[in-house]
Amino acid sequence: MIKKFDKKDEESGSGSNPFQHLEKSAVLQEARIFNETPINPRRCLHILTKIIYLLNQGEHFGTTEATEAFFAMTRLFQSNDQTLRRMCYLTIKEMANISEDVIIVTSSLTKDMTGKEDVYRGPAIRALCRITDTTMLQAIERYMKQAIVDKVPSVSSSALVSSLHMVKMSFDVVKRWVNEAQEAASSDNIMVQYHALGLLYHLRKNDRLAVTKMLNKFTKSGLKSPFAYCMMIRIASKLLEETEGGHDSPLFDFIESCLRNKHEMVVYEAASAIVHMPNCTARELAPAVSVLQLFCSSPKAALRYAAVRTLNKVAMKHPSAVTACNLDLENLITDSNRSIATLAITTLLKTGSESSVDRLMKQISSFVSEISDEFKVVVVQAISALCQKYPRKHSVMMNFLSNMLRDDGGFEYKRAIVDCIISIIEENPESKETGLAHLCEFIEDCEHTVLATKILHLLGKEGPRTPTPSKYIRFIFNRVVLESEAVRAAAVSALAKFGAQNDDLLPSVLVLMKRCMMDSDDEVRDRATFYMNVLQQKQKALNAAYIFNGLSVSVPGLEKSLHQYTLEPSEKPFDMKTVPLATAPITEQKTEIAPVATSKLPEKLAPSRQDIYQEQLAAIPEFKGLGPLFKSSEPVQLTEAETEYVVRCIKHTFANHMIFQFDCTNTLNDQLLQRVLVQMEPSEAYEVLNYVPAPSLPYSQPSSCYSLVRLPEDDPTAVSCTFSCTMKYLVRDCDPNTGEPDDDGYDDEYVLEDLEVTVADHIQKVLKPNFGAAWDEIGDDNEKEETFALATVRTLDEAVNNIISFLGMQPCERSDKVPENKNSHVLFLAGILWDPPAVDNDSHAHLEPILWISALVSSPRLSTATACSVFALCHYFAVSSLFT
Amino acid sequence: MTAQSCPRQHCATTMDSAALEPSLYTVKAVFILDNDGNKTLQKNLKNYYDPELYPSMKEQKNFELNVFNKTHKADNEIAFLEGMTIVYKSSIDLFFYVVGSAQENELMLMAVLNCLFESVSQMLRKNVEKRTLLDNMDGVFLVVDEIIDGGVILESDPQQVIEKVNYRADDSPLSEQSVAQHITEKLALTSNVLQSAKEQIKWSILK
């Protein structure tokens, strides 16, 4: 009979795979033989295998059919066939979530887990824990405790791992098994030890002291399992990170001692932990780097990969520490595993000298097509970093990048290349033309709309200022003919910028624009018509306002305001001034990005920091009617880092008021603070109107309180002011463990550092992509010249940075970068000044002061101690708002 | 109205620099693929998947296809794809994969892979190929179950795994060798019975 069955199966499975054409219904039909007596273990086994296979394939089982099959399966517990029983356990685990009433097997499983057959016990525990819920957990608690300390390793391991899974479900019950887990942790079996440690840490991880104790105990007694060592290293490095102290603690010594462990796994884990520690000194790194260096010549690919990947990370922060490994890395650049080769080369690019760049680039281009996109991105990032380090090499890089751009690749990869080329263009003006040419070529055949629009925008910005702008027109207009709506619209905008800036091109641009007005898409047509009309006026001010420099308000803010406006219809036209301004993007520190799943993080248009504040503040009833938020400052620390209470302040500027937001954190675990507020004593005519206290401030949960201050009305020049601040609160002592506070408390206060309000708080940064146009737009009438001496500043860089931070304005056109060996520099700053109340009072009700500063910073001789002087040319401009 | 300036966006990559949270959950996925072209993925063995990694079957299939395409040409042991570290090993027409997070200790993953491969190899008496594997699918399920439990490494020693599973590989019932073996076993048994009968008779007489 068995043979017959197998034969039939063979035929239906087209001779090669008995599982190929499995039908769920047929298999469930077959499952009826579970009910036959006597049980035929072989056939039943085969059917169970098929069911599990189907479940693994993602076949959907309905609740009824699953329950039916499950109940039939329970009969198989009568058989004593070992494999069959084990497969029953597997089926139980697979079906735990799809079948109903799985708990009926509880008693069978409990019998097996406490029975004599050791082979059944472990798997029975694991199956039982899968079907157990919170209510039933109590019932099996006794068995679990016994199983954890069982002398059979597989039983103990199974119980420990299952307990770990159940921690998510009911932490409190599992926590009671700590003593048993503790006992298991000193087991001789390596896996039991590992699992016990894992469970213990999981149960105690919120209790720092207990974790430290546990760590001390096991580091002293030593461990058998390499897995357990890896776990301990991770725990130790986490503790070290949290203490932020020096690395001379016993924890660091433990990790370092693991570098001499006999298991490679442990050695690597320790090396990797040291490398990832923040603020590691070169001396501490050295032993880790030298074991990694040894691994580089291992015959095992995984070990070489692990070593070179970690070295690559070291090279980002401490290139000099890796130089010793250069020779070993050189041997890896021809490794047959291309991931290893790529990592070796990118590491060498970071540590090597300028002379080796050409050779390495040649090597990498020989196999760049073979590696995965993730590593191509790594290569591009290495190149990007290299260009900053060796600007002179940009021509080699540019060639390489343009070749990579021509290859196939996914969006992330292409975007990395485009970003890299753009940053090279920004850094090296002489590479601008070649870079733009490569990008033009790329958009001729580019499937990614986002990249095409980005490049078109860049062309519009940079193209008109090149010596021969006309050559870009063709590329741009091709897009208008060939691409999707979004790209066409971007192309039209780019064309308009050429027309506005190059008078000799204007007639041709107008002709092209006319054609775009016949486009099938509304947005493209609208843009073309709009630009056409603006361009025909031939007025510089109009061009500057509507073509070069776009909206200065924040887009999410505009969306919200418009929505609000449609909800409350009124006679008045929509006022653009009620919309909060866009904060200029803060140029982030360029970070090296190792391969990570960037594609997994969907990019959203996140509301800016200020939009978030605007929303938070609007939710507080005391702050109604203050108008749009003008500017939010960076947080200012008002306490030392390691004090009882940590307070930082964010200054929010409104038209006539300021709100001070104090983010307070209580670092004392035996205190609960209530009614927390910060009392402020101004030095000038500022008037404190209102305090909004934080109702309660428990241990380590930050909370905010606010103070509302009116700006002085009669004295518009008093922009700066110093506040002395005192935090006042009600203290209630509480039990550090439970957090239960005493019934009565007492008032107390805490003196904070003084808070300064400066000019920068009243000026909002705006980014003007085309500063020249914005400058001309305002005109010479509003010009003011003054010269200041900066007595304390020695270098141009310092002077530029000081001016920027003092005025809080946005440097434009990368003028914040001072070229080397210059003794004068022109800095372009743009910003909008808050409405001075004095102006608000007289007739010009709707004035929006705009401030452009072009500052000529010069120092007589670079290296001498002579102070710099600033010749500032201010365009102070007050016109009726452009938008009303 | 006009194109907004598009600032370069730097993706948050904190997950890369952050140290690994100490945890027993090491393995994100284990699967075995065969190598007959595109349809491969119709009949793979997916024994374990971290439910948070790729919740839907479609995503899992896509991931496997991507992994297979990138790894089947060269036996390189280790790869990095979609933000995951993947260690793999091939044998004749099968590919064994173990997947862990980007920060996971690669050697730990290797230990799991080696244990899986060695256990399967021992169980199938070194015939690690698709046909024998499919014939002993139940055994493979049990082996994986003994090595990984919900992402936790349960056992890393192949010898232990084989002992715990205690599975006898199923020789093809029709092969002559096994028939012959079967008969010899039967014969041995009969002769044993005869032997013991003889003894018993002898003893009863002697009494």
Side-chain angles (χ1 to χ4, degrees), chain A residues 653-669:
Chain A
T653 313
F654 288 82
N656 299 316
H657 302 84
M658 284 187 87
I659 293 176
F660 299 94
Q661 173 185 343
F662 298 95
D663 294 337
C664 315
T665 315
N666 173 10
T667 61
L668 298 176
N669 61 359

Side-chain angles (χ1 to χ4, degrees), chain A residues 328-597:
Chain A
D328 305 78
L329 290 170
E330 288 277 353
N331 292 331
L332 292 180
I333 61 177
T334 48
D335 200 291
S336 64
N337 185 329
R338 295 311 190 192
S339 309
I340 298 178
T342 314
L343 285 168
I345 291 179
T346 48
T347 314
L348 281 172
L349 284 177
K350 286 178 195 118
T351 62
S353 60
E354 191 166 356
S355 56
S356 60
V357 169
D358 290 313
R359 186 174 54 87
L360 291 170
M361 296 301 282
K362 209 169 159 191
Q363 177 71 30
I364 204 168
S365 43
S366 67
F367 64 81
V368 78
S369 57
E370 293 172 42
I371 55 179
S372 68
D373 271 12
E374 273 89 349
F375 283 103
K376 285 180 184 167
V377 175
V378 176
V379 174
V380 174
Q381 280 158 352
I383 293 174
S384 183
L386 209 57
C387 290
Q388 283 172 14
K389 203 162 134 202
Y390 304 122
R392 274 182 295 163
K393 287 283 168 200
H394 67 80
S395 60
V396 185
M397 307 296 168
M398 198 59 105
N399 260 329
F400 183 74
L401 286 172
S402 69
N403 284 332
M404 284 175 101
L405 209 48
R406 283 187 208 118
D407 292 340
D408 291 336
F411 171 67
E412 285 301 326
Y413 169 48
K414 292 283 154 102
R415 189 176 73 167
I417 304 177
V418 169
D419 281 350
C420 183
I421 294 185
I422 294 178
S423 79
I424 297 179
I425 293 176
E426 284 172 352
E427 301 280 336
N428 312 284
E430 65 266 41
S431 68
K432 190 191 275 179
E433 285 212 50
T434 33
L436 287 181
H438 289 314
L439 292 176
C440 281
E441 188 194 328
F442 173 60
I443 53 168
E444 285 286 286
D445 181 24
C446 168
E447 57 197 314
H448 309 293
T449 310
V450 181
L451 292 181
T453 48
K454 188 170 185 171
I455 293 170
L456 282 169
H457 179 75
L458 180 81
L459 283 178
K461 200 174 116 201
E462 300 290 345
R465 280 182 273 175
T466 54
T468 49
S470 58
K471 70 178 174 191
Y472 300 107
I473 300 278
R474 180 173 63 88
F475 290 103
I476 298 175
F477 193 67
N478 278 349
R479 299 304 99 215
V480 179
V481 185
L482 298 167
E483 296 278 355
S484 65
E485 292 81 7
V487 181
R488 292 207 299 271
V492 169
S493 301
L495 269 184
K497 286 182 187 151
F498 280 86
Q501 219 156 338
N502 303 89
D503 289 336
D504 43 336
L505 285 179
L506 182 60
S508 351
V509 168
L510 285 176
V511 172
L512 295 177
M513 218 38 115
K514 216 169 228 148
R515 279 201 215 161
C516 300
M517 283 163 69
M518 257 96 76
D519 197 279
S520 59
D521 181 73
D522 288 351
E523 171 72 20
V524 181
R525 261 196 328 269
D526 287 353
R527 283 198 191 193
T529 316
F530 174 76
Y531 288 133
M532 182 84 186
N533 286 310
V534 174
L535 286 173
Q536 277 168 341
Q537 306 299 316
K538 294 189 181 149
Q539 286 184 24
K540 276 228 152 72
L542 280 179
N543 285 346
Y546 293 116
I547 296 180
F548 299 127
N549 300 319
L551 283 175
S552 59
V553 294
S554 94
V555 177
L558 178 61
E559 187 188 344
K560 219 166 283 161
S561 307
L562 283 172
H563 180 67
Q564 197 62 35
Y565 183 74
T566 53
L567 289 181
E568 297 162 4
S570 73
E571 293 296 304
K572 280 192 293 180
F574 179 71
D575 186 0
M576 206 62 166
K577 282 196 67 184
T578 59
V579 183
L581 289 168
T583 40
I586 302 153
T587 39
E588 288 170 63
Q589 203 66 41
K590 277 188 199 122
T591 44
E592 294 274 350
I593 306 161
V596 282

Side-chain angles (χ1 to χ4, degrees), chain A residues 579-757:
Chain A
V579 183
L581 289 168
T583 40
I586 302 153
T587 39
E588 288 170 63
Q589 203 66 41
K590 277 188 199 122
T591 44
E592 294 274 350
I593 306 161
V596 282
T598 38
S599 55
K600 277 190 163 181
L601 308 163
E603 274 179 49
K604 281 180 278 181
L605 180 64
S608 69
R609 191 171 141 265
Q610 187 162 342
D611 291 323
I612 297 168
Y613 285 134
Q614 165 93 2
E615 197 137 303
Q616 282 174 356
L617 293 175
I620 299 170
E622 279 87 345
F623 302 146
K624 281 264 153 60
L626 297 180
L629 174 59
F630 181 74
K631 181 175 186 181
S632 295
S633 74
E634 290 297 311
V636 187
Q637 297 293 344
L638 295 183
T639 52
E640 303 285 326
E642 299 280 327
T643 46
E644 298 96 309
Y645 314 112
V646 178
V647 181
R648 54 177 211 162
C649 177
I650 299 162
K651 297 170 270 186
H652 303 287
T653 313
F654 288 82
N656 299 316
H657 302 84
M658 284 187 87
I659 293 176
F660 299 94
Q661 173 185 343
F662 298 95
D663 294 337
C664 315
T665 315
N666 173 10
T667 61
L668 298 176
N669 61 359
D670 57 352
Q671 279 191 359
L672 170 71
L673 306 190
Q674 288 181 322
R675 297 201 301 269
V676 184
L677 59 86
V678 176
Q679 191 169 3
M680 304 178 75
E681 295 292 338
S683 66
E684 306 286 326
Y686 283 52
E687 181 191 354
V688 181
L689 295 179
N690 204 346
Y691 292 112
V692 178
S696 117
L697 188 63
Y699 166 56
S700 84
Q701 285 175 25
S703 185
S704 301
C705 60
Y706 303 88
S707 306
L708 176 64
V709 170
R710 185 206 289 280
L711 301 178
E713 282 182 25
D714 43 352
D715 184 10
T717 55
V719 284
S720 54
C721 176
T722 307
F723 292 89
S724 49
C725 305
T726 317
M727 184 160 82
K728 299 200 162 179
Y729 45 84
L730 178 80
V731 185
R732 288 173 73 184
D733 292 325
C734 58
D735 186 331
N737 294 321
T738 58
E740 202 62 44
D742 287 350
D743 289 337
D744 39 58
Y746 51 92
D747 286 317
D748 202 352
E749 56 179 54
Y750 187 83
V751 178
L752 304 175
E753 282 170 31
D754 288 351
L755 180 68
E756 304 243 6
V757 174

